[in-house]
Amino acid sequence: VGQKIMSRLNIAADPRGLFKRGLGLLFIIVGVAIISGADKKLQTKILDKGFFDVTKIEQKLLETRNTEKMENDVSNIDENTNKSITKSDMTYLSADEKSKKYKNPPELSSIDGYINTNSKPITLSELKGKVVLLDIWTYSCINCQRTLPYINDWYAKYKDQGFVVIGLHTPEFSFEKVQTNVEKAVEKFGIKYPVVLDNDYSTWNALGNQYWPRKYLIDSDGFIVYDHIGEGSYDLTEEAIQNALKERTYKMQTKETISTSISKPLGTTEYIGSKVDSPEIYFGSARNVYMGNGLNWPSGSKTFSLPTSYSVNKLYLDGTWNFLSEYAENTSPSEIVFKYDAKNVYMVASSEKGTEVEIYKDDIFLKKINIKDEQLYTLIEGDSYGKHTLKIKILSAGLKAFTFTFG
């Protein structure tokens, strides 16, 4: 057997053989492609055609995971807790039985700051006996922002019945590590429940999380009995909260009546993910993979000029820009053009001195915005989903552009 293998390997080892010559030719072609930039052009064409669109793939995975997860979680909870609270028919699991079915959450670790706690540390262990919703979010994330009206309603509705919310703020960008920035956001969004800063991702990692937002529901025995990724399914999440509170009420033998109504908060924004066909667009050199006029640009300065036509979901810049890992900053009056397929457009941006920008949709002027604070800005609120062209005229230097997101 060994001799047969070696005889076959000799074909590949022969320096004058077809295998070695073919391999050498392949290396030459790859080398020429890299030097000429043809590899980048091929990559761009692949992205243009929609192959390997990470955002779409992730959305499909989330939809599939959430469907399966919610079916499992709701069946696990409802079979034991969605019943009338009477001693004759209640069959809740004991803590020992739950330990074989559910996991305990890791403790909050390496917390960098506390908000709405009177500056006092809080732990999950001290909250055992209550029902806790652990919400992972970050304040510049539009997906997270759209969930907050529901969480605020749930907290106000159930906080006097043994329900606690903890907002685990895990930053995507460096400026979201600054506690005063998070405090401004907490006030802006009307958040009254405790928020803790997970700046080093230690609790995020301990949970094995990869998403913003994500909600873990911890019952009064200290087990994670419900887990939801992303937006939506607010009715199922509230039903899971109600069922956990019903179980707590039964086991503690209190006379509280847990509401079965479903919250419909004001100020919510409709979001239909299947109709949004533009991915999140990053400006910083670490993730700017959708550049339209030029290769995906590394850190450093670059001057751009706009082309005469634009492709969908490609980022076009005009003027001189300085690229850093997380953002790109214009160093002269500049423009940004992006042809998107969605209804609403948002931008994470900032400017140390303040920068005024003009917003155009399909070459029609909409409004002026003054960019200053490090936050998410609403650029366009459309009437319907579809393809449109966004143009931003930046009237002076100093705009730090982090990302576009869509809704």
Side-chain angles (χ1 to χ4, degrees), residues 166-227:
I166 297 177
L168 184 74
H169 187 274
T170 310
E172 181 174 12
F173 300 109
S174 295
F175 64 79
E176 291 175 304
K177 296 180 180 181
V178 180
Q179 181 159 339
T180 53
N181 287 347
V182 184
E183 288 171 345
K184 288 179 184 178
V186 165
E187 183 177 0
K188 175 183 177 180
F189 298 127
I191 296 172
K192 305 298 182 184
Y193 51 82
V195 172
V196 299
L197 275 60
D198 183 35
N199 286 351
D200 67 354
Y201 281 61
S202 59
T203 306
W204 166 294
N205 289 331
L207 285 161
N209 182 48
Q210 300 178 49
Y211 310 98
W212 291 281
R214 186 166 187 173
K215 298 169 186 64
Y216 296 94
L217 185 66
I218 305 165
D219 74 357
S220 57
D221 289 321
F223 294 94
I224 298 174
V225 294
Y226 179 85
D227 172 7

Coordinates of all heavy atoms in Angstrom, one line a residue, residues 166-227:
I166 N -32.7 44.5 34.0 CA -31.3 45.0 34.0 C -30.9 45.2 32.5 O -30.9 44.2 31.8 CB -30.3 44.0 34.7 CG1 -30.7 43.9 36.2 CG2 -28.9 44.5 34.6 CD1 -29.9 42.9 36.9
G167 N -30.5 46.4 32.2 CA -30.0 46.6 30.9 C -28.5 46.4 30.9 O -27.7 47.2 31.5
L168 N -28.0 45.4 30.2 CA -26.6 45.1 30.1 C -26.0 45.8 28.9 O -26.2 45.4 27.7 CB -26.3 43.6 30.0 CG -24.8 43.2 30.0 CD1 -24.3 43.3 31.4 CD2 -24.7 41.8 29.5
H169 N -25.4 47.0 29.1 CA -24.9 47.8 28.0 C -23.5 47.4 27.6 O -22.6 47.7 28.3 CB -25.0 49.3 28.4 CG -24.7 50.3 27.3 ND1 -23.4 50.6 26.9 CD2 -25.5 50.9 26.4 CE1 -23.5 51.4 25.9 NE2 -24.7 51.6 25.6
T170 N -23.5 46.7 26.4 CA -22.2 46.3 25.9 C -21.9 47.1 24.6 O -22.7 47.0 23.6 CB -22.3 44.8 25.6 OG1 -22.8 44.1 26.7 CG2 -20.9 44.2 25.2
P171 N -20.8 47.9 24.6 CA -20.6 48.8 23.5 C -20.1 48.2 22.2 O -19.4 47.3 22.2 CB -19.6 49.7 24.1 CG -18.8 48.9 25.0 CD -19.8 47.9 25.6
E172 N -20.6 48.8 21.1 CA -20.1 48.4 19.8 C -18.9 49.3 19.4 O -17.9 48.9 18.8 CB -21.1 48.5 18.7 CG -20.6 48.1 17.3 CD -21.6 48.0 16.2 OE1 -22.8 48.5 16.5 OE2 -21.3 47.5 15.2
F173 N -19.0 50.6 19.8 CA -18.0 51.6 19.5 C -17.4 52.1 20.8 O -18.0 52.1 21.8 CB -18.6 52.8 18.7 CG -19.2 52.3 17.4 CD1 -20.5 52.4 17.2 CD2 -18.4 51.9 16.3 CE1 -21.1 52.0 16.0 CE2 -18.9 51.5 15.1 CZ -20.3 51.5 14.9
S174 N -16.2 52.7 20.7 CA -15.4 53.1 21.9 C -16.2 54.2 22.6 O -16.2 54.2 23.9 CB -14.0 53.6 21.4 OG -13.2 52.6 20.9
F175 N -16.9 55.1 21.9 CA -17.5 56.2 22.6 C -18.7 55.7 23.5 O -19.2 56.4 24.4 CB -18.0 57.3 21.7 CG -19.1 56.8 20.7 CD1 -20.4 56.7 21.0 CD2 -18.7 56.5 19.4 CE1 -21.4 56.3 20.1 CE2 -19.7 56.1 18.4 CZ -21.0 56.0 18.8
E176 N -19.2 54.5 23.2 CA -20.2 53.9 24.0 C -19.7 53.3 25.3 O -20.5 52.9 26.2 CB -21.0 52.8 23.2 CG -21.8 53.4 22.1 CD -22.4 52.4 21.2 OE1 -21.6 51.5 20.7 OE2 -23.6 52.4 21.0
K177 N -18.5 53.4 25.6 CA -17.9 53.0 26.9 C -18.0 54.1 27.9 O -17.8 53.9 29.1 CB -16.4 52.5 26.7 CG -16.3 51.3 25.8 CD -14.8 50.9 25.7 CE -14.6 49.7 24.9 NZ -13.1 49.3 24.8
V178 N -18.2 55.3 27.4 CA -18.2 56.5 28.3 C -19.5 56.6 29.0 O -20.6 56.7 28.4 CB -18.0 57.8 27.5 CG1 -17.9 59.0 28.4 CG2 -16.7 57.7 26.6
Q179 N -19.4 56.5 30.4 CA -20.7 56.4 31.2 C -21.6 57.6 31.0 O -22.8 57.5 30.9 CB -20.3 56.2 32.6 CG -21.6 56.1 33.5 CD -21.3 55.5 34.8 OE1 -20.4 54.7 35.0 NE2 -22.2 55.7 35.8
T180 N -21.0 58.8 30.8 CA -21.9 60.0 30.7 C -22.6 59.9 29.4 O -23.8 60.4 29.3 CB -21.0 61.3 30.7 OG1 -19.9 61.2 29.7 CG2 -20.4 61.6 32.1
N181 N -22.1 59.3 28.3 CA -22.8 59.1 27.1 C -24.0 58.2 27.3 O -25.1 58.4 26.8 CB -21.9 58.6 26.0 CG -20.9 59.6 25.4 OD1 -21.1 60.8 25.7 ND2 -19.9 59.2 24.7
V182 N -23.7 57.1 28.0 CA -24.8 56.1 28.3 C -25.9 56.8 29.2 O -27.1 56.6 29.0 CB -24.2 54.9 28.9 CG1 -25.3 53.8 29.1 CG2 -23.1 54.3 28.1
E183 N -25.5 57.6 30.1 CA -26.4 58.2 31.0 C -27.3 59.2 30.2 O -28.6 59.2 30.5 CB -25.7 59.0 32.1 CG -25.0 58.1 33.1 CD -24.1 58.9 34.1 OE1 -23.8 60.0 33.8 OE2 -23.8 58.3 35.1
K184 N -26.8 59.9 29.2 CA -27.6 60.8 28.4 C -28.6 59.9 27.6 O -29.8 60.3 27.5 CB -26.7 61.5 27.4 CG -25.9 62.7 28.0 CD -25.1 63.3 27.0 CE -24.2 64.4 27.5 NZ -23.3 65.0 26.5
A185 N -28.2 58.8 27.1 CA -29.1 57.9 26.3 C -30.2 57.4 27.2 O -31.3 57.3 26.8 CB -28.3 56.8 25.7
V186 N -29.8 56.9 28.4 CA -30.8 56.4 29.4 C -31.9 57.5 29.7 O -33.1 57.1 29.7 CB -30.1 56.0 30.7 CG1 -31.1 55.7 31.8 CG2 -29.3 54.7 30.4
E187 N -31.5 58.7 29.9 CA -32.4 59.8 30.1 C -33.3 60.0 28.9 O -34.5 60.2 28.9 CB -31.7 61.0 30.5 CG -32.6 62.2 30.9 CD -31.9 63.4 31.3 OE1 -30.7 63.4 31.4 OE2 -32.6 64.4 31.6
K188 N -32.6 60.1 27.7 CA -33.3 60.3 26.4 C -34.4 59.3 26.2 O -35.5 59.7 25.7 CB -32.3 60.4 25.3 CG -32.9 60.5 23.9 CD -31.9 60.4 22.8 CE -32.5 60.5 21.4 NZ -31.4 60.5 20.4
F189 N -34.1 58.0 26.4 CA -35.1 57.0 26.1 C -36.0 56.7 27.3 O -36.8 55.7 27.2 CB -34.3 55.7 25.7 CG -33.5 55.8 24.5 CD1 -32.1 55.5 24.5 CD2 -34.0 56.3 23.3 CE1 -31.4 55.6 23.4 CE2 -33.3 56.5 22.2 CZ -31.9 56.1 22.2
G190 N -35.9 57.4 28.3 CA -36.9 57.3 29.5 C -36.7 56.0 30.2 O -37.7 55.4 30.8
I191 N -35.5 55.5 30.3 CA -35.2 54.2 31.0 C -35.1 54.4 32.5 O -34.3 55.2 33.0 CB -33.9 53.6 30.5 CG1 -34.1 53.2 29.0 CG2 -33.5 52.4 31.3 CD1 -32.8 52.8 28.3
K192 N -35.9 53.7 33.3 CA -36.0 53.9 34.7 C -35.3 52.7 35.4 O -35.0 52.8 36.6 CB -37.4 54.0 35.2 CG -38.2 55.2 34.6 CD -37.5 56.5 34.8 CE -38.4 57.6 34.2 NZ -37.7 59.0 34.4
Y193 N -35.1 51.6 34.7 CA -34.6 50.4 35.4 C -33.1 50.5 35.4 O -32.4 51.3 34.7 CB -35.1 49.1 34.6 CG -34.9 49.2 33.1 CD1 -33.6 48.8 32.5 CD2 -35.9 49.5 32.3 CE1 -33.5 48.9 31.2 CE2 -35.8 49.5 30.9 CZ -34.5 49.2 30.3 OH -34.4 49.2 29.0
P194 N -32.4 49.6 36.2 CA -30.9 49.6 36.3 C -30.3 49.3 34.9 O -30.7 48.4 34.2 CB -30.6 48.6 37.3 CG -31.9 48.4 38.1 CD -33.0 48.7 37.2
V195 N -29.2 50.0 34.7 CA -28.3 49.7 33.5 C -26.9 49.6 34.0 O -26.4 50.4 34.8 CB -28.4 50.9 32.5 CG1 -27.4 50.7 31.4 CG2 -29.8 51.0 31.9
V196 N -26.2 48.5 33.5 CA -24.8 48.3 34.0 C -24.0 48.2 32.7 O -24.4 47.8 31.6 CB -24.7 46.9 34.8 CG1 -25.5 47.0 36.0 CG2 -25.1 45.7 33.9
L197 N -22.7 48.7 32.8 CA -21.8 48.8 31.7 C -20.9 47.6 31.7 O -20.1 47.4 32.6 CB -21.0 50.1 31.8 CG -21.6 51.4 31.3 CD1 -23.0 51.7 32.0 CD2 -20.7 52.6 31.4
D198 N -21.0 46.9 30.6 CA -20.2 45.7 30.3 C -19.1 46.0 29.3 O -19.0 45.4 28.2 CB -21.1 44.6 29.8 CG -20.4 43.3 29.6 OD1 -19.4 43.0 30.3 OD2 -20.8 42.5 28.7
N199 N -18.3 47.0 29.6 CA -17.3 47.6 28.6 C -16.3 46.5 28.1 O -15.8 46.7 26.9 CB -16.6 48.8 29.2 CG -17.5 50.0 29.2 OD1 -18.6 50.0 28.7 ND2 -17.0 51.0 29.9
D200 N -15.9 45.6 28.9 CA -14.9 44.6 28.4 C -15.5 43.3 27.9 O -14.8 42.3 27.7 CB -13.9 44.3 29.6 CG -14.6 43.6 30.7 OD1 -15.8 43.4 30.7 OD2 -13.9 43.2 31.7
Y201 N -16.9 43.3 27.8 CA -17.6 42.2 27.2 C -17.5 40.9 28.1 O -17.8 39.8 27.6 CB -17.0 41.8 25.8 CG -17.5 42.7 24.7 CD1 -17.3 44.0 24.7 CD2 -18.2 42.2 23.6 CE1 -17.7 44.9 23.6 CE2 -18.7 43.0 22.5 CZ -18.4 44.3 22.6 OH -18.8 45.1 21.5
S202 N -17.1 41.0 29.3 CA -16.9 39.8 30.1 C -18.3 39.1 30.4 O -18.3 37.9 30.3 CB -16.3 40.2 31.5 OG -17.0 41.1 32.2
T203 N -19.3 39.8 30.7 CA -20.6 39.2 30.9 C -21.2 38.7 29.5 O -21.8 37.6 29.4 CB -21.6 40.1 31.6 OG1 -21.0 40.6 32.8 CG2 -22.9 39.4 31.9
W204 N -21.1 39.5 28.5 CA -21.5 39.1 27.1 C -20.8 37.8 26.8 O -21.5 36.9 26.3 CB -21.1 40.3 26.2 CG -21.0 40.0 24.7 CD1 -20.2 39.1 24.0 CD2 -21.8 40.6 23.7 NE1 -20.4 39.2 22.7 CE2 -21.4 40.1 22.4 CE3 -22.8 41.6 23.7 CZ2 -22.0 40.5 21.2 CZ3 -23.4 42.0 22.5 CH2 -23.0 41.4 21.3
N205 N -19.5 37.7 27.0 CA -18.8 36.5 26.6 C -19.2 35.3 27.5 O -19.3 34.1 27.0 CB -17.3 36.7 26.7 CG -16.8 37.6 25.6 OD1 -17.3 37.7 24.5 ND2 -15.7 38.4 25.9
A206 N -19.4 35.6 28.8 CA -19.8 34.5 29.7 C -21.1 33.9 29.2 O -21.4 32.7 29.4 CB -19.8 35.0 31.1
L207 N -22.0 34.7 28.7 CA -23.3 34.3 28.2 C -23.2 33.6 26.8 O -24.1 32.9 26.4 CB -24.3 35.4 28.1 CG -24.8 36.0 29.4 CD1 -25.4 37.4 29.2 CD2 -25.9 35.0 30.0
G208 N -22.0 33.8 26.2 CA -21.9 33.2 24.8 C -22.7 34.0 23.8 O -23.1 33.4 22.8
N209 N -22.9 35.3 24.0 CA -23.8 36.1 23.2 C -23.0 36.6 21.9 O -21.8 36.8 22.0 CB -24.4 37.2 23.9 CG -25.3 38.1 23.1 OD1 -26.2 37.5 22.4 ND2 -25.1 39.4 23.1
Q210 N -23.7 36.8 20.9 CA -23.2 37.4 19.6 C -24.0 38.5 19.0 O -23.8 39.0 17.9 CB -22.9 36.3 18.6 CG -22.0 35.2 19.0 CD -21.9 34.1 17.9 OE1 -21.7 34.4 16.8 NE2 -22.1 32.9 18.3
Y211 N -25.1 38.9 19.7 CA -26.1 39.8 19.1 C -26.5 41.0 19.9 O -26.5 40.9 21.2 CB -27.4 39.0 18.8 CG -27.1 37.7 18.0 CD1 -27.0 36.5 18.7 CD2 -26.9 37.7 16.7 CE1 -26.8 35.3 18.1 CE2 -26.7 36.5 16.0 CZ -26.6 35.3 16.7 OH -26.4 34.1 16.0
W212 N -26.9 42.1 19.2 CA -27.6 43.2 19.8 C -29.0 43.3 19.1 O -29.0 43.3 17.8 CB -26.9 44.5 19.6 CG -25.6 44.7 20.3 CD1 -25.5 45.1 21.7 CD2 -24.3 44.7 19.8 NE1 -24.2 45.3 22.0 CE2 -23.4 45.0 20.8 CE3 -23.8 44.4 18.5 CZ2 -22.0 45.1 20.6 CZ3 -22.4 44.5 18.3 CH2 -21.6 44.8 19.4
P213 N -30.1 43.4 19.8 CA -30.3 43.2 21.2 C -30.5 41.7 21.4 O -30.7 40.9 20.5 CB -31.5 44.0 21.5 CG -32.3 43.9 20.2 CD -31.3 43.9 19.1
R214 N -30.5 41.3 22.7 CA -30.8 39.9 23.1 C -31.4 40.0 24.5 O -30.9 40.7 25.4 CB -29.6 39.0 23.1 CG -30.0 37.6 23.4 CD -28.8 36.7 23.0 NE -29.2 35.2 23.1 CZ -28.4 34.2 22.7 NH1 -27.2 34.5 22.1 NH2 -28.8 33.0 22.8
K215 N -32.4 39.2 24.7 CA -33.1 39.2 26.0 C -33.1 37.8 26.7 O -33.5 36.8 26.0 CB -34.6 39.7 25.9 CG -34.7 41.1 25.3 CD -36.1 41.4 24.9 CE -36.1 42.8 24.3 NZ -35.4 42.8 23.0
Y216 N -32.6 37.7 27.9 CA -32.7 36.5 28.7 C -33.6 36.7 29.8 O -33.5 37.7 30.6 CB -31.3 36.2 29.3 CG -30.2 35.9 28.2 CD1 -29.4 36.9 27.8 CD2 -30.0 34.6 27.8 CE1 -28.3 36.6 26.9 CE2 -29.0 34.3 26.9 CZ -28.2 35.3 26.4 OH -27.2 35.1 25.5
L217 N -34.6 35.8 30.0 CA -35.6 35.9 31.1 C -35.2 34.9 32.1 O -35.1 33.7 31.8 CB -37.0 35.6 30.6 CG -38.1 35.8 31.7 CD1 -38.2 37.3 32.1 CD2 -39.4 35.3 31.2
I218 N -34.9 35.4 33.3 CA -34.5 34.5 34.5 C -35.6 34.4 35.5 O -36.1 35.4 35.9 CB -33.2 35.1 35.1 CG1 -32.1 35.4 34.1 CG2 -32.7 34.2 36.2 CD1 -31.0 36.3 34.5
D219 N -36.0 33.2 35.8 CA -37.2 33.0 36.7 C -36.8 33.2 38.1 O -35.6 33.4 38.5 CB -37.9 31.7 36.4 CG -37.2 30.5 36.9 OD1 -36.0 30.6 37.4 OD2 -37.7 29.4 36.8
S220 N -37.7 33.0 39.0 CA -37.5 33.3 40.4 C -36.6 32.2 41.1 O -36.1 32.5 42.2 CB -38.8 33.4 41.2 OG -39.6 32.2 41.0
D221 N -36.4 31.1 40.4 CA -35.5 30.1 40.9 C -34.1 30.3 40.3 O -33.2 29.5 40.7 CB -36.0 28.7 40.5 CG -37.2 28.3 41.3 OD1 -37.3 28.6 42.5 OD2 -38.1 27.7 40.8
G222 N -33.9 31.3 39.5 CA -32.6 31.6 39.0 C -32.2 30.9 37.7 O -31.0 30.7 37.5
F223 N -33.2 30.5 36.9 CA -32.9 29.8 35.7 C -33.3 30.6 34.5 O -34.3 31.3 34.5 CB -33.6 28.4 35.6 CG -33.1 27.4 36.7 CD1 -33.8 27.3 37.9 CD2 -32.0 26.6 36.4 CE1 -33.3 26.4 38.8 CE2 -31.6 25.7 37.4 CZ -32.2 25.6 38.6
I224 N -32.5 30.5 33.4 CA -32.9 31.1 32.1 C -34.0 30.3 31.4 O -33.7 29.2 30.9 CB -31.7 31.3 31.2 CG1 -30.6 32.2 31.8 CG2 -32.1 31.9 29.8 CD1 -29.3 32.2 31.0
V225 N -35.2 30.8 31.5 CA -36.4 30.0 30.9 C -36.8 30.6 29.6 O -37.8 30.0 29.0 CB -37.5 30.0 31.9 CG1 -37.1 29.3 33.2 CG2 -38.0 31.4 32.3
Y226 N -36.3 31.7 29.1 CA -36.7 32.2 27.8 C -35.5 33.0 27.3 O -34.8 33.7 28.0 CB -37.9 33.1 28.0 CG -38.4 33.8 26.7 CD1 -39.2 33.1 25.9 CD2 -38.0 35.1 26.4 CE1 -39.7 33.7 24.7 CE2 -38.5 35.7 25.2 CZ -39.3 35.0 24.4 OH -39.8 35.6 23.3
D227 N -35.3 33.0 26.0 CA -34.1 33.6 25.3 C -34.6 34.1 24.0 O -35.0 33.3 23.1 CB -33.0 32.6 25.3 CG -31.8 33.0 24.5 OD1 -31.7 34.2 24.0 OD2 -30.9 32.2 24.2

